[in-house]
Amino acid sequence: MKLLRNASFAAITALFCSSAFAQISASGQIISGTTFGTDHAFQFFNTSSNNQYITSLVWDLTPIGGFFDTTNTSPGTSSSPLRQSNQSDKVGAMFPNNSQQNGKSKLTINFAPNSFAAGEKFIFGVDTDYFSCLDCDGINGNGFVGATVKAIFSNGDARFGTYVLSQKAGFGSEVNIMAPVPEPETYALMGMGLIGLFAASRRKLK
């Protein structure tokens, strides 16, 4: 039991410490206005301090009931496609085909190997809408609160974050991507660890 308790405590400590002191990270923000008809609504930064490249970013608008409206076909008929801003660094972005992306709640953008380096920014635009309000001129920046984004780095690390309201002028929401994406085995080990710690504390009380 002592061995289990020590191993579990180490795993739990490692999980939380890796989040707090992560050297692999990214951040993003979305403009305060509508995403419709822009090429700069989404802004992303590779904030890693250990020379890791970002190899892909995955947005998920499912939590807010949203989708990417990239073509003038159902579910939305007034759209603006994926396009990179000329203010963006040349990060080797590879956009999905607009016709294949249209109407989907998830968007994956891959980057050429060794292209999206630490310290660089990626800026792009695309129309987004709510399924509950088709063609409402796009989702405003503060409407993304609750949506998530995952970043995958060149060492294989996957990290995620959830958009929250932004206090930055001109932006509606922001996200910090630092927390590791836990594997199912990690959850199981944490559960065993908590059970072990609880049992040990009960024995001490007795």
Side-chain angles (χ1 to χ4, degrees):
M1 180 60 74
K2 183 178 180 181
L3 181 62
L4 174 63
R5 187 167 66 248
N6 290 342
S8 302
F9 180 76
I12 295 169
T13 302
L15 180 69
F16 286 103
C17 286
S18 63
S19 299
F21 302 102
Q23 298 298 309
I24 301 174
S25 62
S27 65
Q29 51 201 22
I30 302 176
I31 59 172
S32 59
T34 176
T35 61
F36 177 74
T38 73
D39 67 356
H40 62 280
F42 294 81
Q43 303 189 12
F44 246 84
F45 307 88
N46 184 346
T47 55
S48 295
S49 58
N50 59 351
N51 299 319
Q52 288 296 321
Y53 295 89
I54 292 178
T55 59
S56 64
L57 292 169
V58 184
W59 284 265
D60 188 357
L61 307 187
T62 304
I64 63 171
F67 68 94
F68 294 92
D69 190 4
T70 53
T71 68
N72 293 329
T73 57
S74 179
T77 56
S78 179
S79 68
S80 55
L82 287 156
R83 52 181 176 164
Q84 186 168 329
S85 170
N86 58 15
Q87 300 173 28
S88 174
D89 289 324
K90 299 184 184 302
V91 293
M94 295 178 283
F95 292 105
N97 182 280
N98 281 298
S99 61
Q100 295 176 340
Q101 180 60 51
N102 187 61
K104 294 183 178 179
S105 293
K106 289 187 178 181
L107 165 66
T108 299
I109 297 178
N110 296 312
F111 301 89
N114 301 332
S115 295
F116 194 172
E120 291 189 318
K121 64 181 182 297
F122 171 49
I123 305 174
F124 73 99
V126 62
D127 186 25
T128 55
D129 276 307
Y130 294 111
F131 284 111
S132 61
C133 188
L134 300 176
D135 296 321
C136 289
D137 295 327
I139 302 174
N140 288 324
N142 58 10
F144 286 90
V145 172
T148 65
V149 61
K150 178 173 67 174
I152 300 175
F153 294 83
S154 50
N155 69 345
D157 265 20
R159 309 222 167 198
F160 73 97
T162 302
Y163 281 95
V164 298
L165 286 175
S166 177
Q167 300 301 315
K168 300 176 183 176
F171 296 94
S173 61
E174 60 185 66
V175 62
N176 286 312
I177 303 176
M178 297 182 67
V181 177
E183 299 293 335
E185 294 82 1
T186 304
Y187 285 122
L189 186 56
M190 285 178 65
M192 290 173 61
L194 291 173
I195 292 171
L197 291 172
F198 178 71
S201 64
R202 282 180 61 94
R203 281 201 304 274
K204 282 187 176 181
L205 289 173
K206 290 180 179 179

